[in-house]
Amino acid sequence: MSRITRYLSLAVIYTLLPACATVRGTGDLGVVIERATGSIQIVDTTQHQLLKQVKGLGDLSHATVVYSRDERYAYVFGRDGGLTKIDILAGRIDKRIIQSGNSIGGAISQDGKLVAVSNYKPGGVKVFDSKTLELVADIPAGVGEQRSKVVGLVDAPGQRFVFSLYDTGEIWIADMSNKKPEITRYKDIGRLPYDGLITPDGRYYIAGLFGEDGLALLDLWHPEKGVKRILSNYGRGSKKMPVYKMPHLEGWAMTDDYAFLPAVGRNEVLVVNRRNWEHVTSIPVHGQPVFVMARPDGRQVWVNFAFPRNDTVQVIDTEPLKIIETLKPGKAVLHMEFTPRGEQVWVSARDAGKVTVYDTATLKVIATLPMEKPSGIFFTSRAHRIGL
Amino acid sequence: MVRRWQSIISQLFLITGMAVLYNPVYAKDNQIDASNNQPTSLSEQRRAELKDLLLQDCGSCHGMTLKGGLGPALTPDVLHNKSRQMITVTITEGRPGTPMPPWKTILSEQEIHWLVETLYSGVTP
């Protein structure tokens, strides 16, 4: 056989190989960020397997992920302004751009056609075509000449994005129904909003405030009513401690009756009545909460903590509002993610170099997966949830 | 006129910066850090832990490459015209009104000193 025919037949084999590989869906797949090495692991939540490592994603400290509505593509938002679209079936980068100097997170629109990124430098939001990653809109954020870092960017029904301005204390709604974004601004919402969330029904947007006690609430069914302050007295009588890691609100914890939120600078989880947004109680916990996340059925809330008490996870039973278990998944627990119906939770421990999978009924470890400084964990079921 | 003042002020900053750089005490420290094998009472393991803390935990606000995030950038080119004393005080006491917390309950004076020197000489992951 001549060399050319040999190469040709090899080429044919390699072209056909992917087609012969098992056809599969992506509903039980996810992505785990390896923050220090600029890589991600594509994981299988049924088999507890690492399927493929994808490298070359830049600075992934504080990286987050959203999914295309077909659950095939993961959009990874890097700290260095990198936006990478990854084909998780093929296990490779589909497209990658550097869209700013410094960014913090992103969201995908209701129709799945737009991906928005919130930027620190230059402060604002950029909106891209989710297919091509071409720029659709650039929304500089700030008051006059003063640009502001943007935090807490989420998607909302009606093809809208909602976000908060850290430096100038505002909430903005960007309606993307038409070609040009239509902006609604809410000023003086409180000092230093550090993150935001939207309730699972897409109705309420809540921004957490670092500069003062309380949170800012916007009812998106009635945007004309403006932003209301809630829980402004939650810290009364207790001293605020220094914060060695900012809490996160993304990954809301809502049950039928209550919303669970991290207190800033206090070893407490705040419990709020969802009907009137009044403070119900505060649950004393191991440290300052970072993520407070409800199991999809709402019966449990899992909490991880800020440096230096970050080797621990606590589980709250939402009926008696009591801690039922304290777990030690390893040093520097950074994130948790439930499988779509909540029978497992995956917990990343950065310094321990592993992700631990717990059975949420028995609270026992069912698998341990070694990874390089793992941080955020994102399963494809996020594709179909408002605000994730 | 304004321009001239700006240039005078920036020159003053430059001179102060140089003075700090060429202060014999700091120069000596720089040598220790640059060679990294000079005797220092911080063990090699502790220094590795501190470097990790700097990149990972300080990095959660200042960026893992220390190019900035919610907190400002801490790269040598940004720090060169800021005094080491100001940076030391900021790490030790925190900065009220901002999320920067005081580290004095977690780190010793000597450890903070090592962190400051490491920041000024630049640190790579």
Side-chain angles (χ1 to χ4, degrees):
Chain A
M1 210 195 294
S2 81
R3 192 177 277 183
I4 289 171
T5 11
R6 203 156 60 203
Y7 278 136
L8 267 178
S9 58
L10 266 181
V12 170
I13 289 168
Y14 281 115
T15 326
L16 287 178
L17 259 183
C20 303
T22 324
V23 173
R24 67 161 302 161
T26 57
D28 59 354
L29 299 187
V31 160
V32 180
I33 305 290
E34 294 179 313
R35 71 199 294 277
T37 42
S39 51
I40 57 135
Q41 291 279 358
I42 299 168
V43 297
D44 177 329
T45 59
T46 306
Q47 304 296 329
H48 304 140
Q49 267 179 0
L50 306 183
L51 298 182
K52 178 102 197 273
Q53 187 187 42
V54 181
K55 293 181 183 172
L57 307 185
D59 180 354
L60 292 188
S61 54
H62 207 286
T64 63
V65 172
V66 299
Y67 286 97
S68 62
R69 64 195 272 154
D70 64 2
E71 293 189 1
R72 176 167 180 176
Y73 297 98
Y75 299 89
V76 182
F77 307 97
R79 166 73 87 181
D80 54 5
L83 168 58
T84 314
K85 182 185 178 191
I86 292 170
D87 181 340
I88 58 169
L89 272 181
R92 60 174 173 76
I93 293 173
D94 182 68
K95 282 193 171 60
R96 175 170 163 79
I97 57 166
I98 301 290
Q99 55 81 37
S100 81
N102 200 318
S103 72
I104 193 66
I108 189 158
S109 63
Q110 185 174 33
D111 67 359
K113 288 182 178 157
L114 302 171
V115 169
V117 193
S118 57
N119 288 320
Y120 279 173
K121 215 184 334 174
V125 170
K126 280 188 179 172
V127 184
F128 298 89
D129 181 307
S130 63
K131 208 169 174 182
T132 61
L133 298 192
E134 273 164 31
L135 186 70
V136 174
D138 187 359
I139 308 169
V143 180
E145 289 292 292
Q146 191 195 357
R147 290 287 277 263
S148 171
K149 301 182 190 90
V150 172
V151 299
L153 168 68
V154 300
D155 61 285
Q159 196 68 355
R160 290 177 292 179
F161 291 113
V162 189
F163 48 92
S164 299
L165 278 61
Y166 176 78
D167 302 288
T168 52
E170 297 175 61
I171 293 175
W172 288 19
I173 301 174
D175 188 332
M176 299 298 300
S177 309
N178 302 310
K179 270 221 151 140
K180 210 168 165 256
E182 203 175 297
I183 310 288
T184 312
R185 295 171 68 156
Y186 299 90
K187 294 179 187 170
D188 302 319
I189 62 120
R191 285 195 59 230
L192 304 179
Y194 65 88
D195 199 4
L197 67 81
I198 190 163
T199 49
D201 56 8
R203 176 166 180 181
Y204 295 100
Y205 178 81
I206 301 172
L209 301 175
F210 187 85
E212 55 192 284
D213 280 349
L215 299 101
L217 176 86
L218 177 61
D219 182 350
L220 295 169
W221 286 12
H222 296 285
E224 75 284 357
K225 287 185 178 167
V227 173
K228 187 174 115 180
R229 190 71 55 83
I230 58 168
L231 294 185
S232 30
N233 292 321
Y234 76 74
R236 190 179 281 175
S238 67
K239 195 174 178 296
K240 197 169 169 178
M241 295 175 291
V243 176
Y244 293 96
K245 179 164 173 72
M246 290 295 243
H248 286 61
L249 295 179
E250 195 189 2
W252 41 268
M254 301 278 164
T255 64
D256 262 4
D257 301 322
Y258 304 127
F260 295 81
L261 298 161
V264 179
R266 292 180 179 87
N267 297 351
E268 290 171 3
V269 168
L270 308 172
V271 185
V272 189
N273 182 325
R274 274 192 68 183
R275 312 282 163 239
N276 56 18
W277 299 102
E278 276 174 16
H279 186 209
V280 176
T281 186
S282 297
I283 305 173
V285 287
H286 172 79
Q288 294 180 26
V290 175
F291 281 100
V292 175
M293 303 175 105
R295 198 171 68 178
D297 67 339
R299 182 63 198 272
Q300 292 176 352
V301 165
W302 289 55
V303 189
N304 75 323
F305 303 99
F307 178 90
R309 300 179 68 82
N310 56 358
D311 65 342
T312 299
V313 164
Q314 286 185 314
V315 186
I316 295 168
D317 183 332
T318 57
E319 205 171 48
L321 298 176
K322 293 229 164 4
I323 292 166
I324 52 166
E325 189 68 282
T326 298
L327 303 164
K328 299 275 179 191
K331 222 178 139 200
V333 174
L334 291 190
H335 198 215
M336 303 168 287
E337 177 86 332
F338 291 95
T339 46
R341 299 191 187 200
E343 84 290 354
Q344 302 166 24
V345 62
W346 289 42
V347 180
S348 61
R350 182 193 71 204
D351 294 355
K354 64 179 180 184
V355 167
T356 307
V357 184
Y358 290 93
D359 179 321
T360 62
T362 62
L363 306 180
K364 298 277 181 264
V365 175
I366 45 180
T368 309
L369 304 162
M371 286 182 222
E372 196 66 43
K373 289 203 188 296
S375 56
I377 308 172
F378 306 90
F379 295 156
T380 51
S381 49
R382 286 175 174 251
H384 302 135
R385 283 154 77 181
I386 295 169
L388 298 180
Chain B
M1 191 61 188
V2 177
R3 272 231 171 142
R4 212 166 124 203
W5 273 109
Q6 276 177 347
S7 113
I8 290 172
I9 289 168
S10 63
Q11 273 174 24
L12 267 175
F13 267 111
L14 202 68
I15 293 164
T16 349
M18 298 285 261
V20 171
L21 272 179
Y22 287 108
N23 180 313
V25 177
Y26 290 126
K28 201 173 136 208
D29 287 346
N30 273 342
Q31 278 163 16
I32 290 177
D33 284 310
S35 58
N36 251 349
N37 50 17
Q38 295 290 315
T40 154
S41 50
L42 290 178
S43 70
E44 200 171 315
Q45 192 199 337
R46 187 59 190 151
R47 278 180 283 152
E49 284 168 7
L50 287 173
K51 184 182 164 187
D52 213 46
L53 178 96
L54 192 61
L55 295 174
Q56 304 296 334
D57 296 293
C58 303
S60 74
C61 275
H62 297 278
M64 207 173 51
T65 50
L66 302 171
K67 286 180 188 160
L70 205 62
L74 300 175
T75 43
D77 58 312
V78 176
L79 293 177
H80 85 274
N81 60 1
K82 295 186 170 63
S83 84
R84 281 168 157 78
Q85 197 199 354
M86 193 268 278
I87 302 296
T88 307
V89 171
T90 303
I91 296 176
T92 311
E93 306 291 339
R95 192 172 282 186
T98 79
M100 178 65 184
W103 288 84
K104 62 185 172 194
T105 53
I106 290 170
L107 302 171
S108 72
E109 219 172 287
Q110 193 193 10
E111 288 170 339
I112 290 172
H113 178 79
W114 188 87
L115 285 175
V116 172
E117 291 311 317
T118 306
L119 282 173
Y120 275 84
S121 52
V123 56
T124 44

